[in-house]
DNA sequence: CGTTCCTCCTGCTAGC
DNA sequence: TGCTAGCAGGAGGAAC
C-alpha cells in the first residue's frame, strides 16, 4: 500500500525519468481512471498532448507533475496511487500489462510512462495550480515549499511531516482538540498527511500509545513524541526503499516490501513484541485491522457505553 | 460545523 | 477440487 515513503520513491523516479520531457500523446482507457477529472478522459488526454513536464512534486500521498502546456498557464497532472497504483517506465512498444489505464508517449525516443492499477482506487486528473493554503500560515520557512502553488484538489490536504511547512506544535494542538481517538486523527489527511494504516500502527507501537486512546486525554508531550516517531518510521522506510528500486521502474510496489523486515506491529499478530515479548494482537477497528502490543500499548479503560 | 460510515475495485487466501 | 466468503484499505461524499 503506497504511503508517504512509497509515493516519494515514485516521485524521485519521475524526477529522473520524466521531468524535462514533452508528452506527445496520452492514451487513457476506461472512465474510471479519470473520474476525478471533471471534463472526462477524452478532455484529459487532449490537454496532455504537447505539455512539457516541469517538475515532480508531492504532498502526503498526493503526487503531481507540474506541466507547461502550449499556450496555457502551468497546471498539474495529479496522480493518486490509491491502494494498488503504480507508475512504470516501460519501453515504448511494450505490450500493455493487465490493468494498464494510461500510457504516455513522449516526443523523444525514450520510454513511455504507464499508469497501472489493479483496483483503480487511484486515478489521474488535471488541475490548476492555486496558492498553497498552508504557506500563508507558515512564517518561518527559509525556502518556501511549493512556490508555484499546489493543485486545487490538494488544498484540503495537510502538510506531511517531511515538509518545511509542517508545524509540529500546531499539529499537536490540533490533534488534542479532536473529539476522536488517536489512530483516527493520525490517519486523517486533513490533520497530518502521508500516514496510512501500516505506518500508523508502527508509530503507535514505537510511541507506546494504543490507537483507541482519546486524543483529548493524551498529553502534549505524548502527542509530540508520537509525531516524532511517525516521521522517523517513514524516514527509515524511505532510506531503505529509496536505494533499492530497479531503475527501469519508477516504482515496484513501493518501498514497503523492503521495509517489511523492520515492521514491529503491522502484520505481526501472534509474534512476540520486539520490546517486551508479549504477543502482538490484531483487532478490527474503524473497519481496518490494527496491530498492537497489549503490554507496551495499554488499552484505554472501556468507555462508558454510549447509548 | 465536526465526525462517522459506506462504497468503489480485484486478487488472494482460508475454510468448507 | 472447487466454490464462496472474507479481507486488504485510501479517500470522498453521504449521513448523522
Amino acid at each position: 500500500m503506497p504511503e508517504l515513503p512509497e509515493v516519494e520513491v515514485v516521485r524521485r523516479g519521475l524526477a529522473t525519468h520524466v521531468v524535462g520531457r514533452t508528452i506527445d500523446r496520452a492514451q487513457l482507457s476506461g472512465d474510471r481512471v479519470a473520474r476525478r477529472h471533471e471534463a472526462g478522459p477524452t478532455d484529459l488526454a487532449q490537454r496532455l498532448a504537447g505539455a512539457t513536464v516541469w517538475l515532480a512534486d508531492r504532498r502526503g500521498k498526493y503526487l503531481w507533475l507540474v506541466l507547461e502546456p502550449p499556450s496555457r498557464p502551468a497546471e498539474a497532472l495529479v496522480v493518486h496511487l490509491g491502494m494498488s497504483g503504480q507508475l512504470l517506465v516501460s519501453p515504448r512498444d511494450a505490450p500493455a500489462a493487465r490493468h494498464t489505464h494510461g500510457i504516455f508517449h513522449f516526443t523523444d525516443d525514450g520510454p513511455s510512462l504507464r499508469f497501472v492499477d489493479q483496483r483503480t482506487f487511484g486515478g489521474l486528473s488535471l488541475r490548476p495550480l492555486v496558492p498553497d493554503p498552508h504557506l500563508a500560515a507558515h512564517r518561518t520557512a527559509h525556502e518556501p515549499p511549493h512556490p508555484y502553488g499546489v493543485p486545487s484538489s490538494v488544498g484540503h490536504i495537510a502538510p506531511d511531516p517531511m515538509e518545511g511547512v509542517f508545524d509540529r506544535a500546531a499539529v499537536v494542538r490540533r490533534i488534542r482538540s479532536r473529539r476522536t481517538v488517536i489512530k483516527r486523527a493520525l490517519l486523517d489527511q486533513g490533520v497530518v498527511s502521508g500516514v496510512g494504516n501500516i505506518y500508523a500502527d508502527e508509530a503507535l507501537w514505537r510511541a507506546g500509545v494504543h490507537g483507541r486512546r482519546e486524543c483529548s486525554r493524551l498529553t502534549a508531550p505524548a502527542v509530540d513524541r508520537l509525531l516524532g516517531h511517525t516521521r522517523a518510521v517513514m524516514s527509515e522506510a524511505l532510506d531503505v526503499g529509496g536505494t533499492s528500486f530497479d531503475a527501469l521502474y519508477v516504482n515496484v510496489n513501493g518501498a514497503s516490501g523492503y521495509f517489511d523486515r523492520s515492521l514491529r506491529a503491522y502484520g505481526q499478530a501472534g509474534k512476540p513484541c520486539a520490546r517486551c515479548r508479549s504477543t502482538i494482537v490484531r483487532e478490527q477497528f474503524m473497519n481496518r485491522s490494527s496491530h498492537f502490543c497489549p503490554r507496551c500499548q495499554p488499552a484505554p479503560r472501556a468507555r462508558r457505553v454510549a447509548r
Side-chain angles (χ1 to χ4, degrees):
Chain A
M1 281 43 72
E3 301 182 28
L4 185 151
E6 295 77 30
V7 177
E8 173 60 15
V9 170
V10 177
R11 191 201 64 76
R12 292 178 183 181
L14 290 169
T16 301
H17 295 286
V18 174
V19 166
R21 302 173 70 193
T22 298
I23 298 171
D24 181 41
R25 188 163 53 94
Q27 296 173 268
L28 301 175
S29 57
D31 288 347
R32 202 172 148 71
V33 69
R35 70 192 181 287
R36 308 242 185 275
H37 184 77
E38 280 151 34
T42 307
D43 176 83
L44 177 56
Q46 280 170 1
R47 290 168 63 187
L48 289 172
T52 299
V53 181
W54 206 247
L55 62 89
D57 209 344
R58 179 187 61 71
R59 167 165 281 170
K61 303 173 204 173
Y62 279 83
L63 181 65
W64 63 89
L65 297 175
V66 174
L67 301 180
E68 187 101 327
S71 68
R72 279 204 310 281
E75 52 195 357
L77 174 63
V78 180
V79 181
H80 201 291
L81 301 176
M83 300 248 326
S84 55
Q86 293 176 282
L87 285 170
L88 306 176
V89 174
S90 308
R92 301 170 63 88
D93 302 326
R98 198 155 149 68
H99 305 302
T100 297
H101 297 107
I103 303 181
F104 302 86
H105 294 284
F106 296 88
T107 55
D108 55 65
D109 291 334
S112 60
L113 177 69
R114 306 186 180 209
F115 181 72
V116 178
D117 189 354
Q118 276 181 6
R119 280 169 265 190
T120 47
F121 280 20
L124 311 171
S125 64
L126 204 49
R127 300 281 181 164
L129 290 159
V130 300
D132 180 359
H134 296 93
L135 187 57
H138 188 81
R139 294 177 299 249
T140 59
H142 292 295
E143 16 182 306
H146 315 298
Y148 50 85
V150 299
S152 62
S153 57
V154 177
H156 67 295
I157 298 297
D160 66 58
M162 309 298 188
E163 288 187 72
V165 288
F166 185 77
D167 185 337
R168 191 155 147 181
V171 174
V172 169
R173 289 193 295 273
R174 178 104 190 269
I175 288 177
R176 294 185 69 227
S177 72
R178 298 285 296 230
R179 296 150 119 76
T180 188
V181 296
I182 186 62
K183 185 170 177 183
R184 203 184 286 277
L186 207 52
L187 290 172
D188 186 334
Q189 306 297 302
V191 174
V192 47
S193 68
V195 186
N197 202 41
I198 295 173
Y199 296 116
D201 278 2
E202 291 303 307
L204 288 163
W205 179 85
R206 289 188 180 202
V209 173
H210 195 290
R212 275 195 288 108
R213 299 273 300 276
E214 289 290 330
C215 291
S216 59
R217 300 177 79 94
L218 292 170
T219 65
V223 176
D224 186 70
R225 277 195 300 275
L226 175 61
L227 290 174
H229 285 299
T230 302
R231 185 192 152 105
V233 70
M234 293 198 295
S235 173
E236 290 166 31
L238 181 56
D239 287 345
V240 177
T243 57
S244 48
F245 68 94
D246 188 319
L248 184 63
Y249 295 95
V250 173
N251 178 35
V252 188
N253 278 333
S256 61
Y258 301 101
F259 194 63
D260 275 353
R261 70 199 69 175
S262 305
L263 296 177
R264 294 289 179 261
Y266 185 85
Q268 307 302 302
K271 295 181 184 165
C273 169
R275 257 190 318 246
C276 77
R277 318 312 293 173
S278 299
T279 302
I280 299 289
V281 171
R282 181 184 129 181
E283 69 176 33
Q284 286 299 117
F285 164 64
M286 293 164 51
N287 286 330
R288 296 285 180 267
S289 62
S290 287
H291 312 73
F292 61 93
C293 170
R295 187 162 162 197
C296 298
Q297 300 167 264
R301 282 194 296 264
R303 285 179 290 174
R304 287 193 303 275
V305 179
R307 84 136 27 292

